[in-house]
Structure formats: C-alpha cells, structure tokens
Amino acid sequence: MNYQNIIAEKRGKVGWIALNRPKALNALCHDLIQELNQAINQFEDDTSIHVLVLTGSEKAFAAGADIREMKDRDYMDVYKADFITKGWQRVASCRKPVIAAVAGYALGGGCEIAMMCDIILAADTAKFGQPEINLGTIPGSGGTQRLTKIIGKSKAMEMCLSGRIMDAAEAEKCGLVSRVIAAADLLQETMKLAEKIAAMSLPVAMMVKESVNRSYETTLAEGLLFERRLFHSTFALQDQKEGMNAFVEKRPPQFKNI
Ligand code: CAA
C-alpha cells in the first residue's frame, strides 16, 4: 500500500493506519481523506484483518481540516460538493472495531475523527479541542453532536464556544478517552489492546460494536431489543459453541470467525 499522506500496514490481524503529513500536523486535506478511505476499504474487505488502529505522530493525531485548502471556498461550492461528508464519514461507518491512538493535537476534524473511532487511547501529551470558532466557523464533522453526547452539554458548549483545548487528564475524567498512557508506551499499549480484540471472534466483535453504537441512535427499549436479537443470533455461530465449550473444558477457545 503506497500512500503519500498516510502509512498503512498489516500487523497480523491488525490494520494499522498512521496519518503522515508531518509538515502540516496531519491536517486533513482532500488527498489524505481519500487515502484514508482507500486504506479502510482495503482493511474492511480483508477477512484476515479484525481490528483497525488509527494514529498520527508524536506531535499531532491531526490538527483539523486543512485550513489552507478550504479558506477560499464559497458557500455554493461547499454545499454542492457536500464538503466534509463523503470520505470523512468512512471511519464512522467501518464495521470492524477501530481504535484511535492519540498523541499531541487532536483538534477540529482531528478530534471529530478520533470520536468516530470506537475506543480512544490517549498519550499523556494528547490535546483535544474544537477550535473552529476561532476561524469564524463551527465544527463540521460531528464536533457539536458526538462531543455533546460523550462529555455532556455544558463542557461541549464551553469547548465549542471558547475553542478551549483540554489535556489528556481532563479528557479521561470526562469520558472522552478510555485511558491515558505514557506517550512512550502509547503505540505498544494500543497494539496490545488491538491484538486482544483481534483474538476474539470477528463476527461477535462486530456485533458488540453494532450493539453499543445502536444505543446512540435509539430508545432504551429498542436498543435492548436489538441487543437481545443479536445475542440470540450468536447461538447460530460455531464460535459461540467453541467459546462456551472451551470454558467448560478449561482451555483457550479456538475461534474460526464463523
Ligand atoms: N490546516 C492547515 N495547516 C495547518 C493546520 C490546519 N488545520 N494546523 C497546522 N497547520 C500547519 C501550520 O500552518 C504550519 O505550517 P507552516 O509551517 O507551513 O506554516 C504547520 O502546520 C505547523 O503548525 P504551527 O506552526 O501552527 O504549529 P504550532 O505548534 O505553533 O501550533 C497548533 C500548533 C496549535 C495545532 C496550530 O497549528 C493550530 O492552531 N492549528 C489549527 C487548529 C484548528 O483550528 N483546527 C480546526 C480546523 S477547521 C476544522 O477542522 C473543521 C471541521 O470541523 C472538520
């Protein structure tokens, strides 16, 4: 996989994607988003890949949409092109689990793409924010929506209205990230978690993801019904028989992803 703005590689069952536009702090230009799409499509189609990791550099996960690229566009142009829609949503629509490993800046679109992932692991250097208001615009890829659902109205309002940047400790405290890790250990710890999830039955991991995400879209009663039906459907899998038999026989399960 030969890309200009990202590095994508298979590491066993893990599809590893590093945003790689260091001179612009991984600002999310059109070409980078196109390449990110291609890499996700490839890993999603590859049945040997169970989990995706999305990371950046030590200094920046991504400092947002590319300001130079968008600054002169006009309303009709962005409206007709449905700017920041096609391509940007690909991370959120990935059916396999996606872990974001964030060090340094995750601002604007960078914070939004991290929030599209299923788990965010943060280095102690991570900084999150929706500073679009400083540019005379607003978040365009879920910042006002996902951030509010995750950290609540008051904090989301403060972040989006003032452009304040929060550090990793605050991000963990308010539930934006699942864990803070020493920067030097971030990639190793991320790989450990990715490998642990990748060792599970892939269809079951996909059902877990689908079911947790359902809770964002529906009422509790509908969500519980959706979960129960998926739970029932796991009884059609060989992996459910294997997992439960392995427990009873006191041995590790050998999942076949069927
Ligand atoms: N777009 C384009 N280029 C960017 C960029 C961005 N979002 N962020 C940083 N860069 C470029 C800088 O222009 C600079 O390039 P040059 O060396 O060619 O001048 C290079 O990256 C390094 O940046 P700085 O010199 O500014 O580095 P710093 O360490 O002093 O500051 C920073 C780092 C605080 C992250 C600062 O770069 C910054 O504030 N960036 C913009 C953050 C932002 O506003 N993001 C929101 C974008 S809008 C958006 O994302 C909309 C949406 O919802 C999708």
Side-chain angles (χ1 to χ4, degrees), residues 6 29 63 181 204 222 230 248:
I6 64 169
C29 64
I181 296 163
V204 176
E222 287 299 321
L230 282 185
V248 171

Side-chain angles (χ1 to χ4, degrees), residues 23-25 27 59 63-68 70 84 88 105 107-109 112 131-132 135 139-141:
K23 284 186 182 150
L25 299 180
K59 192 159 183 209
D66 191 309
I67 299 166
R68 286 172 205 275
M70 70 180 150
I84 303 201
W88 281 73
Y105 295 110
L107 301 180
E112 291 168 315
E132 289 88 346
L135 303 169
S141 204

